[in-house]
Amino acid sequence: MTVAVTGAAGYIGSHVAHLLAEAGIHVLAVDDMSAGLGSRIEQFPLVEIDLARDEAPGVLRAAFAQHQVRAVVHLAARKAVGESVEQPMRYYSQNVTGLANVLTAMQQSGVDRFVFSSSAATYGMPDVDLVSEDQRCEPINPYGETKLVGEWLVRAATRSSDLRAVSLRYFNVAGTGRPELADTVVANLVPILLQRAAEGVPAAVFGDDYPTPDGTCVRDYVHVADLAEAHVRALTYLERDDRPHDVFNVGSGTGASVMDVVEALSRALGQEVATVVEPRRAGDPPRLVASVERISSVLGWHATRDLDEICRSAVEAARAR
Ligand code: UDP
């Protein structure tokens, strides 16, 4: 069986692709190579295409037939929140039109199993201890909106065809499963802290006056290798279950503050990561931690790697570069 992985040259997509390959599944990589690295997917056949383009369904149809694709894991998307505020049309085009084109190609090809990469950004600023999938989604930026609209589109597609799908709402993904697949984009907390430490410059902590135990924002950090395993579980589930569309949080279920991450990374580095408190960043919820009850009871998945392991793997990968 072959699974097409869109966004396979990216940080998360490549972890998913390699894990599938390890499980004996053939992978067809689909990527526009705008942000991905060819070195991450050398072993896979590649369809290089911008999925938002009009010709995408036709190109995918041909590739699905050639490689006998049976399922699609769709990660290809733009994911920078700030950029999405500045370029909303680009984000809707890439993230929603791109998705519509993939689903069109699947329908035309009779490919009926789909795993969609969604995000905790769909929730917005929920004022709860643990956010469950039934929480009302009120995204506060175009990026989160495109992921929520994406889930709606996936659900609508399951209602109009034989498609069965799982949407996975990722929390804060970090770490690396193998050094050569590491996150090379310095856009999230762990890579930013690592870079500042290497430069010998204090890293910014955005606000220390939140209503949290140490005043800094609390998030749910999940190891990318655990996250990749959730995709494999989702694919297996789609083979045995007949519910049309399910949504699952993918997180560790435990909260870590910005200062907890700083401390874990300092331990992993064997040196103190210097920080400086800066004003709050707009749109940051004080706390965003997953309830993982549903994914653990339905998919039998739970995170097995903790924050220390996330940080150790990130440090190891940075040292290997
Ligand atoms: N953060 C920070 N300094 C930075 C980058 C991030 O204090 O240089 C904080 C941010 O305010 C948030 C947490 O780290 O509370 C995680 O931020 P990130 O951008 O990695 O992911 P997000 O939770 O926004 O999706």
Side-chain angles (χ1 to χ4, degrees), residues 1 9 13 36 60 91 133 139 180 211 236 249 264:
M1 139 155 152
L60 289 178
Y91 269 67
E133 293 84 348
E180 64 276 20
T236 312
N249 286 339

Side-chain angles (χ1 to χ4, degrees), residues 172 187-189 192 204-206 217 219 221 258 281 284:
N172 289 63
N188 291 109
L189 182 61
I192 290 173
V205 173
F206 296 140
C217 284
R219 294 286 180 278
Y221 294 88
V258 175
R281 190 174 67 173
D284 258 339

Side-chain angles (χ1 to χ4, degrees), residues 89-100:
M89 284 75 90
R90 177 160 173 248
Y91 269 67
Y92 271 80
S93 161
Q94 289 284 303
N95 294 4
V96 180
T97 306
L99 167 64

